[in-house]
Amino acid sequence: MSSEQQYIDLYEQARGMLFALSADALNAVRDKAFENFRRMGFPTKKVERYRYTDIQKLFEPDYGVNLNRLNIPANLQEAFHCGVPNLSTSLYFIVNDAFHAQALPKSRLPEGVIIDSLSAYAAKSPDFVGKYYAKLAKTDEDAVTALNTMLAQDGLLVYVPKNVRIDRPVQVINLLRSDVDLMANRRVLIVVEEGAEIKLLFCDHAADDRRFLTTQVIEAYVGENARLDLYCMEETHIKNVRMSNLYIDQQANSRVNHHVITLHNGITRNRTDLRFSGEGAECSLCGCVIADKHQHVDNNTLITHAAAHCQSHELYKYVLDEQAVGAFAGKVLVEHGAQQTVSQMTNQNLTATREARMFTQPMLEIYADDVKCAHGSTVGQLNDAAMFYMQQRGISLKEARALLQNAFINEVIDHMQLEPLRDRLHYLVEKRLRGELNKCNGCKLCK
């Protein structure tokens, strides 16, 4: 049986259950997504955007799927006190792929702001959700997006109305919890209207020592003069497979800062597609990866400059140890008429052992003549002279390695706007590079 056939059979057998236990706005695109998935199948490594990760192999195992929406217990108030010191957030939880609606301290949000279950809100306001859902994440272009769209039943809705600014960051804990090997299909819809601002922090954790496969699709609409700061941090374990596809549309003079941090994982693939639809918009995409053992991290980005006077900046850094594998493929597409585009893409990587592998592929495709675009990539090892210099002054080899790696990765963290989160990540990265499997203070789930 091919790796996609079990999902084709699953959909055909469980279609009635999927429709009955989700909202009409999500169901409206389900059959089309299924037909696209059946037509495409999982991409092979011959497909340009998937050449560094064997997708078919990742989906071969038989995972359980909670299609009948069983309540999976997770006492979050008692068991999970994950937080960033000195950072006050509005806190929400997603357990596997379901918005956690049990009693939690109510967050004080400005009037009109909605943070809720995507399925529940779609049932109340189908026209609103239907206006945005599955419009950026096109199911005829990507098989993982199609699979997620045909199976997703819930997720998160974030809506910030016109000219509303949320000063307090919103933190969302994505918690994987199961007594059996589990596949979770999570959906996130973010709508930031004209002149609005929000800071979002997504933290991925695994509560159980099980094999997890997560597909996540995020659609983010950023209106004119709006701002979205999106931070995504993964601290799971070696048995976790995470496939995350992020689609962003930016209108005129909008600002997006997106940071993806991978500290602990098994196999991770992050895809980011961002499009400038209005003039004068800016984005900053940053990635920080620390991997060892047999971990695998693949970041794939596409920035499309479809409007003039826009700026994009990318900085991704990897530190790979032991037999870890890293990949970065970034493409900037400047379309006809997108004059006075400014774009800079940088990928820098450290391989600490001969067995570690890094694949890097920065690309530019330009159809306008008045632009400033540059890209660069480096793969190297620690500076022997610097190592020798520190050892001559009494610093051990292990400590010298950690200090140099920490200094290398800190450039990405220093780009973050949230100072408490920045300080916390400096601490976590330092512990990680010293080989300490750190967990958040007070967290009883990550033993």
Side-chain angles (χ1 to χ4, degrees):
M1 179 185 294
S2 62
S3 56
E4 58 265 7
Q5 188 60 47
Q6 63 174 317
Y7 299 101
I8 294 172
D9 294 342
L10 173 65
Y11 185 83
E12 292 177 334
Q13 295 166 9
R15 180 181 180 276
M17 183 185 301
L18 285 165
F19 273 71
L21 297 176
S22 191
D24 290 344
L26 279 64
N27 293 334
V29 294
R30 233 180 258 287
D31 285 341
K32 180 182 177 182
F34 170 68
E35 292 301 328
N36 286 327
F37 176 76
R38 182 161 60 178
R39 172 181 56 82
M40 292 184 292
F42 287 118
T44 67
K45 296 180 77 172
K46 294 181 180 180
V47 177
E48 183 66 27
R49 295 198 72 174
Y50 284 92
R51 63 186 300 183
Y52 302 118
T53 302
D54 190 347
I55 301 299
Q56 293 185 340
K57 182 178 179 181
L58 298 181
F59 284 87
E60 282 179 358
D62 184 14
Y63 291 92
V65 184
N66 187 18
L67 297 181
N68 57 3
R69 315 313 293 160
L70 292 176
N71 181 37
I72 298 179
N75 193 331
L76 305 176
Q77 288 178 294
E78 292 185 4
F80 201 90
H81 300 287
C82 181
V84 179
N86 303 317
L87 178 62
S88 176
T89 64
S90 299
L91 186 61
Y92 298 87
F93 291 90
I94 305 291
V95 179
N96 299 327
D97 56 4
F99 184 82
H100 186 77
Q102 297 179 16
L104 289 172
K106 295 296 182 181
S107 298
R108 294 183 178 180
L109 298 171
E111 184 177 356
V113 174
I114 299 169
I115 299 179
D116 200 355
S117 159
L118 177 60
S119 181
Y121 193 80
K124 294 183 291 185
S125 302
D127 292 341
F128 175 83
V129 173
K131 177 181 177 181
Y132 296 102
Y133 184 75
K135 297 300 189 294
L136 294 180
K138 295 179 172 60
T139 61
D140 59 348
E141 296 180 358
D142 184 83
V144 175
T145 295
L147 177 68
N148 177 279
T149 304
M150 76 189 208
L151 295 179
Q153 294 170 280
D154 195 14
L156 178 70
L157 170 68
V158 177
Y159 169 67
V160 188
K162 182 178 178 179
N163 294 327
V164 172
R165 176 179 177 180
I166 305 177
D167 294 322
R168 189 181 189 185
V170 174
Q171 184 178 11
V172 180
I173 306 295
N174 294 317
L175 182 63
L176 295 171
R177 165 76 182 89
S178 179
D179 296 327
V180 298
D181 296 347
L182 183 72
M183 177 185 187
N185 300 289
R186 183 187 310 128
R187 200 70 182 220
V188 179
L189 177 60
I190 303 169
V191 180
V192 187
E193 290 191 339
E194 179 183 346
E197 294 186 17
I198 187 173
K199 297 179 179 67
L200 281 168
L201 170 60
F202 290 165
C203 302
D204 284 21
H205 298 273
D208 295 296
D209 187 24
R210 294 289 182 177
R211 291 190 308 169
F212 291 102
L213 169 61
T214 304
T215 71
Q216 174 178 266
V217 173
I218 304 175
E219 295 177 281
Y221 297 83
V222 186
E224 188 173 343
N225 292 304
R227 180 184 179 114
L228 170 65
D229 289 0
L230 178 60
Y231 304 92
C232 299
M233 183 168 66
E234 181 181 4
E235 288 186 284
T236 55
H237 55 57
I238 195 66
K239 296 181 181 179
N240 189 67
V241 176
R242 179 179 185 267
M243 309 287 294
S244 179
N245 289 358
L246 168 63
Y247 300 88
I248 303 175
D249 180 78
Q250 287 190 242
Q251 296 298 318
N253 301 308
S254 61
R255 300 291 182 268
V256 167
N257 292 312
H258 174 51
H259 298 256
V260 56
I261 305 103
T262 306
L263 295 182
H264 297 287
N265 75 305
I267 298 175
T268 297
R269 187 178 191 276
N270 299 310
R271 168 177 173 160
T272 301
D273 287 17
L274 185 147
R275 182 179 181 86
F276 291 117
S277 297
E279 295 189 4
E282 295 182 12
C283 79
S284 175
L285 306 183
C286 292
C288 165
V289 174
I290 300 174
D292 54 17
K293 303 180 179 66
H294 295 280
Q295 295 167 342
H296 178 109
V297 183
D298 179 356
N299 282 297
N300 188 291
T301 69
L302 170 62
I303 298 178
T304 301
H305 286 259
H309 306 284
C310 294
Q311 297 187 28
S312 63
H313 305 276
E314 291 185 79
L315 175 63
Y316 282 77
K317 287 195 171 188
Y318 290 63
V319 174
L320 305 176
D321 206 344
E322 299 178 322
Q323 290 81 42
V325 176
F328 172 79
K331 180 177 180 179
V332 173
L333 171 61
V334 182
E335 295 185 346
H336 292 285
Q339 303 294 354
Q340 297 190 344
T341 286
V342 176
S343 177
Q344 174 66 50
M345 180 194 305
T346 304
N347 173 227
Q348 297 175 333
N349 312 283
L350 280 180
T351 53
T353 65
R354 291 182 178 274
E355 293 77 24
R357 292 289 180 267
M358 182 67 203
F359 302 92
T360 179
Q361 187 182 21
M363 296 170 281
L364 294 175
E365 188 173 336
I366 302 172
Y367 298 97
D369 54 13
D370 183 11
V371 301
K372 294 180 180 179
C373 297
H375 65 335
S377 177
T378 61
V379 180
Q381 296 181 323
L382 294 173
N383 187 290
D384 290 337
M387 295 274 287
F388 178 76
Y389 179 87
M390 286 191 285
Q391 287 180 272
Q392 287 292 96
R393 280 147 184 81
I395 300 175
S396 68
L397 176 61
K398 181 179 179 180
E399 181 71 10
R401 281 166 51 98
L403 288 172
L404 289 176
Q405 290 172 346
N406 198 37
F408 173 79
I409 212 75
N410 277 345
E411 183 183 359
V412 177
I413 300 174
D414 288 339
H415 275 75
M416 294 184 175
Q417 303 296 315
L418 289 175
E419 184 176 352
L421 176 61
R422 192 166 62 236
D423 294 341
R424 179 64 173 171
L425 281 173
H426 280 307
Y427 171 75
L428 290 176
V429 165
E430 182 180 356
K431 301 282 279 187
R432 179 73 172 90
L433 291 172
R434 296 179 190 280
E436 301 178 30
L437 298 178
N438 188 68
K439 64 179 188 297
C440 299
N441 292 330
C443 175
K444 301 178 182 178
L445 295 175
C446 307
K447 292 179 179 180

